Amino acid sequence: MPAVTKIIDPVTRLEGHLKIEVTIDTVNQVQQVTDAKATGTLFRGFEILLQNRPAEDAPHITQRICGVCPVSHGMAAVLAQDAVAKVTVPDNARIMRNLVLGANYIQSHILHFYHLAVQDFVDGPGMAPWQPSWSSDKRLDASTTSLLVSNYVTALSMRRQAHELGAVFGGRLPHPPTYISGGFTTVPRAGRITQAKNYLNTLIPFIQNTYIPNVQTLANGYPDYLSIGRGYGNLLAYGVFDEDNTGTNKLLGQGRVANGATTVNKVNVGYIAEQVAYSWYAGGTLKPAAGATTPQYPKTNAYSWLKAPRYSKKPYEVGPLARMWVNGDYRQGISVMDRHMARAQETLKVALAMREWLGQLNSSGAVYAKPGSQTGSAFGLTEAPRGALGHWISLNGGKISKYQVVTPTCWNASPRDAAGKRGPIEQALIGTPVLNIDEPVEVVRVIHSFDPCLSCAVHVMRPGKKAKVVKLGHSHGEEEIQAHDHGDGRVHTHVRGGGHTHGD
Ligand code: NFE
Ligand code: MG
């Protein structure tokens, strides 16, 4: 059989709009993926619309990049501004920033496993959101299936409680208004601390006794996925959850490894640059501090609205596995199942740390220190649930003159770079065996293990209700697979004939 090109558009059960094009061929008698292209199909313009606005707007506007990881954008925005202003925030503020971000990790990781990823492996009941689905390669027995199906519902409740936990200090979730340069706007009153402890007392046992064992059960049922979807093995983490105000002591540390090594190398921010050879942007490779967002469509060879971030010209995977590997907490392997297991174990690590942080709050202590200069350039590096996140800001008298965001999914789902090197998800797909060419569920399993969020990756404006986004890059003779549910509560309708309406 000649090589076949398959397009999955949109890939559902992730955030935002991702199209994947894979070439499937038979190599050494195994039908497998031999090439892959990941396309972010929607242009956004957050970096542009931030220009000339007051600095204080940045944490609020950038949180609207995404409803699933808003807190990390708030965090990155205020860290960047703290750095411009050379302000050290009081311990209370540092801790509450951590607590709300930690709550967001818990909800995001639980959401990912139970509501976005498990459906690729489980033959659920004949009802939404389990059906319609592909029936290929469903291996779990009836009791395991019914366990995971019933935990879908339990996990919804856990996720809600994680949101409520974040709202104790964040005021509301998503998009907490409490992140400001110099500190945090909540006073850590004793009642709030008790309330937060109560939520953790529900969430921690769920993570320990249900989430982690369920991931292990899934891995036991699909052991081949411990060697599928490895990719480059290059892992990068900026580090997150400051334990003090030194900037270097973090719950999950900063570092980078090459090709699955155990040696952790330093991260030099100056080596990060975004390439656009295959992206619909004008210009060349730029470091984020000097970055630009200049759309150019159409453009020869380009196939994505994502830029291609590279470290020293090399692609790096980011996310829970990268963080846990760099920190020395998880080094069993790099694969689809390793990503799920590292994510689950990280959830527990963060939740347990949150309990410690609650004990470190001082209910009568300061939550704010007045920032200094409002002129200068700086960056804020943190970790969103999906991986390394950076905001680069230039301020002139308190006004934003330049803003660049480089998100985790931009690293993971990036297109090829100027040297023709694939992005991490593209590379992870190579060699993935495909049993049934009409139902390439294996491809979707690899993609989902990264928990991609294209909303973040392209930092897009939401189109108006009647806006139509025309699908890009289709050519005759290619097959297309369409599906509909977003899986995260948002409505997404696919209009036949090539339009998308987005009604979230
Ligand atoms: Ni929209 Fe996000 C996270 C960020 S992913 S989810 O986690 O930043 O690119
Ligand atoms: Mg960007």
Side-chain angles (χ1 to χ4, degrees):
M1 190 188 76
V4 172
T5 300
K6 284 285 211 188
I7 294 176
I8 306 176
D9 179 21
V11 181
T12 57
R13 280 184 283 107
L14 50 74
E15 290 86 4
H17 301 267
L18 174 69
K19 171 179 118 176
I20 289 277
E21 180 181 315
V22 286
T23 305
I24 299 170
D25 204 351
T26 302
V27 182
N28 298 330
Q29 276 123 44
V30 180
Q31 185 167 275
Q32 57 185 273
V33 175
T34 56
D35 200 5
K37 273 186 179 174
T39 297
T41 58
L42 197 59
F43 172 69
R44 312 186 75 186
F46 271 82
E47 289 153 334
I48 302 166
L49 67 86
L50 279 157
Q51 283 166 20
N52 298 317
R53 288 182 183 267
E56 302 82 48
D57 284 1
H60 305 291
I61 291 177
T62 58
Q63 286 197 63
R64 269 71 188 174
I65 287 171
C66 182
V68 80
C69 70
V71 183
S72 25
H73 288 286
M75 178 76 107
V78 296
L79 288 176
Q81 289 177 41
D82 291 349
V84 172
K86 296 190 174 59
V87 64
T88 302
V89 306
D91 286 340
N92 269 345
R94 171 181 55 77
I95 293 166
M96 285 188 285
R97 286 177 177 184
N98 284 350
L99 284 165
V100 179
L101 183 59
N104 183 242
Y105 269 53
I106 297 173
Q107 78 79 18
S108 180
H109 287 359
I110 291 173
L111 158 77
H112 177 256
F113 183 69
Y114 287 102
H115 305 135
L116 304 179
V118 117
Q119 291 74 13
D120 294 337
F121 300 92
V122 170
D123 193 16
M127 59 188 284
W130 299 93
Q131 304 295 343
S133 77
W134 289 337
S135 56
S136 279
D137 193 31
K138 299 285 166 65
R139 305 181 207 163
L140 300 177
D141 60 29
S143 74
T144 311
T145 298
S146 97
L147 175 77
L148 290 170
V149 168
S150 72
N151 284 345
Y152 181 103
V153 180
T154 313
L156 284 174
S157 153
M158 292 299 149
R159 194 181 162 224
R160 189 193 73 230
Q161 294 188 65
H163 267 317
E164 289 174 5
L165 164 61
V168 169
F169 297 104
R172 66 156 188 253
L173 254 299
H175 310 125
T178 47
Y179 286 77
I180 55 169
S181 178
F184 207 72
T185 62
T186 307
V187 175
R189 281 199 283 272
R192 292 193 169 120
I193 296 171
T194 308
Q195 234 185 328
K197 275 188 187 146
N198 289 341
Y199 281 114
L200 284 170
N201 286 342
T202 304
L203 289 163
I204 289 170
F206 173 78
I207 299 162
Q208 267 170 332
N209 305 327
T210 304
Y211 178 17
I212 292 175
N214 283 177
V215 177
Q216 189 59 57
T217 299
L218 188 70
N220 295 345
Y222 289 86
D224 43 334
Y225 281 85
L226 288 162
S227 50
I228 292 174
R230 180 180 188 275
Y232 292 109
N234 295 341
L235 306 173
L236 170 70
Y238 294 158
V240 64
F241 299 119
D242 284 278
E243 296 277 16
D244 56 31
N245 63 19
T246 60
T248 51
N249 180 16
K250 294 166 194 283
L251 179 72
L252 290 156
Q254 185 177 84
R256 127 194 106 74
V257 303
N259 195 15
T262 49
T263 310
V264 179
N265 302 300
K266 283 212 165 95
V267 175
N268 180 337
V269 178
Y271 290 147
I272 295 169
E274 290 191 299
Q275 306 198 11
V276 294
Y278 290 86
S279 311
W280 285 303
Y281 296 96
T285 301
L286 291 173
K287 294 179 182 182
T293 303
T294 315
Q296 183 187 349
Y297 181 88
K299 175 180 164 183
T300 309
N301 291 331
Y303 63 93
S304 183
W305 285 110
L306 275 64
K307 299 174 188 170
R310 296 290 187 263
Y311 184 96
S312 227
K313 300 189 179 159
K314 293 198 183 69
Y316 275 80
E317 170 178 346
V318 299
L321 178 59
R323 285 191 288 263
M324 294 288 275
W325 190 289
V326 162
N327 208 51
D329 291 319
Y330 186 100
R331 289 183 179 165
Q332 290 172 43
I334 300 173
S335 69
V336 168
M337 283 302 161
D338 288 301
R339 287 187 192 100
H340 289 301
M341 298 208 286
R343 190 177 288 112
Q345 291 184 20
E346 179 185 76
T347 314
L348 180 61
K349 185 178 173 92
V350 170
L352 292 174
M354 288 172 71
R355 207 149 59 179
E356 300 297 313
W357 298 332
L358 285 172
Q360 296 165 9
L361 287 168
N362 172 0
S363 53
S364 58
V367 298
Y368 178 75
K370 197 165 168 36
S373 166
Q374 294 298 297
T375 298
S377 297
F379 52 83
L381 301 185
T382 186
E383 292 277 335
R386 283 152 199 76
L389 170 67
H391 284 198
W392 278 258
I393 193 171
S394 292
L395 287 182
N396 193 347
K399 257 200 176 173
I400 297 167
S401 55
K402 213 174 210 337
Y403 210 100
Q404 286 287 306
V405 174
V406 182
T407 62
T409 297
C410 215
W411 284 95
N412 287 337
S414 60
R416 283 153 173 74
D417 56 34
K421 266 195 234 98
R422 297 183 187 96
I425 290 180
E426 293 178 336
Q427 184 67 21
L429 283 165
I430 306 300
T432 302
V434 177
L435 225 54
N436 175 356
I437 207 152
D438 294 319
E439 295 192 346
V441 65
E442 301 90 345
V443 169
V444 181
R445 288 170 179 163
V446 172
I447 298 166
H448 279 152
S449 71
F450 287 86
D451 189 7
C453 172
L454 277 291
S455 309
C456 276
V458 283
H459 348 303
V460 187
M461 275 186 301
R462 183 177 64 179
K465 277 221 165 99
K466 288 192 183 142
K468 280 206 170 179
V469 179
V470 178
K471 285 191 292 169
L472 305 160
H474 286 254
S475 61
H476 288 292
E478 292 170 335
E479 292 177 66
E480 184 195 338
I481 297 151
Q482 301 175 341
H484 303 261
D485 76 291
H486 250 275
D488 63 351
R490 289 175 299 153
V491 180
H492 182 273
T493 39
H494 187 89
V495 180
R496 266 171 205 273
H500 282 169
T501 52
H502 198 246
D504 61 356

